[in-house]
Amino acid sequence: MNTGPYLDEKVQKFIEEQFIPLKSQCFWDRPTDLMKRFDIKWTPTFLIHDSEGKEHHRVVGYVPADDFLSQLGLGKGKVFFNTERFAEAIAQFQTVIEQHPNAGATPEAIFFLGVAGYKHTHDPKALRRAWDTLSSKYPQNEWTRRAEAYSEIPL
């Protein structure tokens, strides 16, 4: 965390404000207890856990600052989603989409925005809107393919 995107002030500020960071040394020839506990096989590995210690998102390898910020935001949204805090998840996924429209995590955020919207309102149109956005902006993305079934939902 001493090189690349991790030196970016926005990245550092986001981590400090949104998470409780824990940094550990990694030794590939003799894995540490933390590496074993969290099944870390490569560096850097960033894990996003909830307050109970359950993992919700993992980022492995170096990524540019904008992509890293979007991954952190996506991870935060997944914590809300997985703990059934759907309104907060929706807001978080929308933030990722608006602030990082070209980042690699954005299609996944769009997918989960649709699913969170459906789970929050029970209106399947949220799923269809996710499909429409994904198919128009990211036609070749795996998250578009995962959402293809939603194309049959009438608007």
Side-chain angles (χ1 to χ4, degrees), residues 4 25 30 33 37 41 51 59 64 76 114 121 154:
Q25 286 284 55
R30 50 187 167 89
D33 289 341
R37 178 177 174 193
K41 306 294 185 196
S51 60
V59 181
K76 185 177 174 186
T121 65

Side-chain angles (χ1 to χ4, degrees), residues 19-37:
F19 299 100
I20 300 171
L22 170 67
K23 180 179 174 183
S24 174
Q25 286 284 55
C26 295
F27 303 103
W28 302 116
D29 57 338
R30 50 187 167 89
T32 65
D33 289 341
L34 281 176
M35 290 174 67
K36 292 175 190 173
R37 178 177 174 193

Side-chain angles (χ1 to χ4, degrees), residues 2 32 36 43 47 49 60 67 77 95 123 133 135 138 141:
N2 298 326
T32 65
K36 292 175 190 173
T43 183
L47 309 174
H49 290 216
V60 178
D67 280 304
T95 297
D123 183 352
T133 301
S135 63
Y138 309 96
N141 192 275

Side-chain angles (χ1 to χ4, degrees), residues 16 37 61 66 68 80 98 102 119 129 132 154:
E16 289 171 9
R37 178 177 174 193
D66 187 58
F68 188 55
F80 293 141
E98 291 166 7
N102 299 313
K119 290 182 79 73
R129 286 190 297 274
D132 289 343

Side-chain angles (χ1 to χ4, degrees), residues 2-154:
N2 298 326
T3 63
Y6 319 115
L7 293 176
D8 184 290
E9 288 183 28
K10 288 191 287 185
V11 169
Q12 291 177 0
K13 184 178 179 183
F14 188 82
I15 290 172
E16 289 171 9
E17 290 177 353
Q18 301 296 322
F19 299 100
I20 300 171
L22 170 67
K23 180 179 174 183
S24 174
Q25 286 284 55
C26 295
F27 303 103
W28 302 116
D29 57 338
R30 50 187 167 89
T32 65
D33 289 341
L34 281 176
M35 290 174 67
K36 292 175 190 173
R37 178 177 174 193
F38 296 112
D39 198 28
I40 295 172
K41 306 294 185 196
W42 193 246
T43 183
T45 297
F46 290 86
L47 309 174
I48 298 176
H49 290 216
D50 61 23
S51 60
E52 303 298 316
K54 181 178 179 187
E55 182 179 327
H56 294 272
H57 191 65
R58 178 179 288 237
V59 181
V60 178
Y62 286 99
V63 293
D66 187 58
D67 280 304
F68 188 55
L69 286 167
S70 70
Q71 287 285 343
L72 293 173
L74 176 65
K76 185 177 174 186
K78 285 177 158 182
V79 170
F80 293 141
F81 178 82
N82 292 335
T83 56
E84 299 186 0
R85 295 161 53 189
F86 299 120
E88 291 167 282
I90 289 166
Q92 184 60 43
F93 295 137
Q94 287 174 327
T95 297
V96 170
I97 295 161
E98 291 166 7
Q99 292 182 359
H100 310 283
N102 299 313
T106 302
E108 187 174 356
I110 293 167
F111 179 90
F112 276 100
L113 173 64
V115 177
Y118 172 71
K119 290 182 79 73
H120 185 59
T121 65
H122 304 289
D123 183 352
K125 291 177 185 169
L127 297 169
R128 174 58 190 266
R129 286 190 297 274
W131 157 255
D132 289 343
T133 301
L134 286 165
S135 63
S136 67
K137 292 185 177 183
Y138 309 96
Q140 300 303 313
N141 192 275
E142 78 171 282
W143 291 99
T144 305
R145 292 190 294 278
R146 291 183 190 199
E148 188 171 359
Y150 308 153
S151 67
E152 301 297 323
I153 298 169

